[in-house]
Amino acid sequence: MTKIGFIGLGLIGGSIAKAIRQYYPDYQIIAFDKSKETLALAVQEGTIDISCSSIDENFKNCRYIFLCAPVSYNNVYLRQLVPFLDEQTILTDVGSVKTAIHKEIIALGLEEHFIGGHPMAGSEKSGFVNSKALLIENAYFILTPSAKVSKEKTEAYEQFVASLKALPIILDYEQHDFITGAISHLPHIIASSLVNFVKKNDSDDGLMRLLAAGGFKDITRIASSSPVMWQQICLWNKDNLLEILARYMELLQNADTLIRNSDEEKLYHMFSSSRDYRNSMPEGSGGPIKKAFAIYCDIIDEAGGIATIATILASNNISIKNIGIIHNREFEEGVLRIEFYESDASKRASELLQKYRYVVYER
């Protein structure tokens, strides 16, 4: 029997475990977590077979062991796992920063076992209770093999990730940290700074907060993420982020110069270049920043208008994550914004509402 071990069973660990249970129902899944309540729930739901109160002999003969705890804890757990590893065991993790754990793996002489992992998926909610198998479906899942791990193990793990309906991509761990620093970590820093800028410069009557919608709320949505997680990411990916921030501030300084000099041609090029590059980015697959699945819809301002749409969707088993009137539509089409939990629900809702002759906008 194939055995899979989990150290930590939060949102990501729980979602991977649920995906394994869905596609490999005969696999034995064991887990250790500091929360007894989490383990009890995971057993009750049938996600795991064995709950462990410590890292013990239950972890012998595992084909895969997923480290899903915070980086600082993972480094401690690694030492405890050493006696239970065999030649077949593949150790992996799910962190969004890879250099720290790779260095620890090298120091412990565990490179022959280790392939770093980073599923580029997440949620504004945390914990096992919010985990779901679909979380990693069609999401990029970056693998960072150690220098001494065998090609056979890397290929096996790549195939295993693909069988869970994720999209595996192999990168060097240092390259991974710079890339995610630019496309994931930097945007979170910018979003947080932008929100704090508005907070600091808002009028006493809070007009900026009142009028903030449309484009502002879209580009700052990720500022609602976990402060603890992003604090740790900044500390663990410090060197890359300092270099990335320096390069980014050069671009801001350049924008300052163009505006100061009223340079029409270069200002136009700055915006046209960014527009063209953004429009060339692929759609349809998961990235490091979770996409919002939303549609926009025109409705007449009358009693029961929103309730009618909600009833139409509910009667067709389409769950709504959020719904509300867009008052600032400077950058938006549509009066009503409806957000869903997944892409399929968004597409079904759009088709359904159009059948009822609603004007629907997608983007």
Side-chain angles (χ1 to χ4, degrees):
M1 176 183 291
T2 301
K3 189 188 336 183
I4 311 289
F6 283 86
I7 308 295
L9 209 59
L11 176 71
I12 301 299
S15 295
I16 295 173
K18 288 180 178 179
I20 294 171
R21 176 61 73 217
Q22 177 175 320
Y23 294 110
Y24 298 95
D26 295 332
Y27 279 15
Q28 184 182 53
I29 302 177
I30 68 171
F32 162 77
D33 193 279
K34 295 176 71 175
S35 169
K36 293 181 180 178
E37 292 78 9
T38 292
L39 292 174
L41 178 60
V43 171
Q44 180 184 339
E45 291 184 353
T47 301
I48 67 173
D49 300 293
I50 299 174
S51 67
C52 305
S53 57
S54 63
I55 297 174
D56 54 26
E57 292 195 356
N58 281 300
F59 285 90
K60 278 187 174 179
N61 302 316
C62 281
R63 183 71 177 95
Y64 294 96
I65 297 178
F66 288 85
L67 292 157
C68 304
V71 175
S72 55
Y73 290 111
N74 280 342
N75 290 347
V76 175
Y77 294 146
L78 276 172
R79 295 179 176 86
Q80 298 177 34
L81 281 169
V82 172
F84 309 120
L85 305 179
D86 59 45
E87 291 182 1
Q88 300 303 314
T89 306
I90 294 175
L91 264 176
T92 187
D93 75 321
V94 297
S96 62
V97 181
K98 305 258 67 83
T99 300
I101 193 164
H102 270 273
K103 287 184 176 179
E104 188 69 17
I105 289 290
I106 293 170
L108 293 173
L110 298 176
E111 286 186 276
E112 293 179 4
H113 297 283
F114 189 73
I115 302 172
H118 177 199
M120 289 184 153
S123 169
E124 63 272 21
K125 297 180 180 179
S126 60
F128 178 81
V129 69
N130 294 300
S131 63
K132 55 184 178 179
L134 284 174
L135 191 73
I136 63 170
E137 185 172 310
N138 288 322
Y140 291 126
F141 200 122
I142 295 180
L143 309 182
T144 58
S146 295
K148 296 180 181 179
V149 76
S150 69
K151 181 181 178 181
E152 290 75 19
K153 282 186 176 179
T154 300
E155 289 177 349
Y157 188 31
E158 184 178 12
Q159 291 169 12
F160 184 58
V161 166
S163 74
L164 301 179
K165 308 304 180 185
L167 306 173
I169 294 178
I170 296 178
L171 293 177
D172 171 80
Y173 69 87
E174 292 178 331
Q175 182 186 26
H176 165 277
D177 283 359
F178 188 82
I179 289 173
T180 55
I183 64 173
S184 177
H185 306 166
L186 176 65
H188 279 83
I189 294 171
I190 294 171
S192 178
S193 300
L194 184 53
V195 171
N196 285 330
F197 174 83
V198 169
K199 177 183 177 182
K200 184 177 180 179
N201 292 276
D202 204 355
S203 55
D204 291 338
D205 54 359
L207 277 174
M208 285 188 181
R209 183 171 62 177
L210 174 67
L211 297 175
F216 182 87
K217 292 201 77 173
D218 265 0
I219 63 176
T220 60
R221 175 174 53 86
I222 53 178
S224 297
S225 301
S226 165
V228 173
M229 180 178 73
W230 286 102
Q231 172 204 53
Q232 292 300 304
I233 285 173
C234 287
L235 295 174
W236 287 106
N237 204 22
K238 177 180 177 179
D239 292 342
N240 280 316
L241 282 175
L242 289 175
E243 180 181 348
I244 290 165
L245 280 168
R247 295 188 191 185
Y248 179 69
M249 286 188 279
E250 284 182 15
L251 290 177
L252 288 180
Q253 187 58 54
N254 181 62
D256 177 278
T257 300
L258 298 183
I259 295 170
R260 193 178 300 278
N261 295 339
S262 300
D263 193 324
E264 295 181 26
E265 181 178 347
K266 289 183 179 178
L267 279 169
Y268 176 85
H269 176 73
M270 180 180 76
F271 290 112
S272 67
S273 174
S274 64
R275 177 200 61 191
D276 293 345
Y277 188 69
R278 187 195 183 281
N279 289 344
S280 73
M281 292 178 178
E283 295 286 347
S285 55
I289 298 176
K290 187 171 176 63
K291 181 179 179 179
F293 304 112
I295 61 174
Y296 297 79
C297 178
D298 284 340
I299 61 170
I300 298 172
D301 184 10
E302 61 182 10
I306 295 178
T308 300
I309 288 179
T311 301
I312 291 171
L313 297 177
S315 63
N316 285 271
N317 298 314
I318 299 175
S319 297
I320 297 172
K321 182 177 183 181
N322 203 354
I323 188 169
I325 298 291
I326 302 296
H327 294 290
N328 179 345
R329 294 193 289 278
E330 187 177 1
F331 300 104
E332 305 290 359
E333 292 180 295
V335 174
L336 187 70
R337 182 182 187 274
I338 314 169
E339 186 176 353
F340 305 91
Y341 289 96
E342 52 197 44
S343 176
D344 182 61
S346 177
K347 292 176 182 176
R348 287 170 53 215
S350 175
E351 294 169 357
L352 183 63
L353 291 177
Q354 289 180 70
K355 287 183 180 178
Y356 280 84
R357 300 189 181 281
Y358 285 96
V359 178
V360 176
Y361 307 92
E362 300 177 75
R363 52 177 195 136

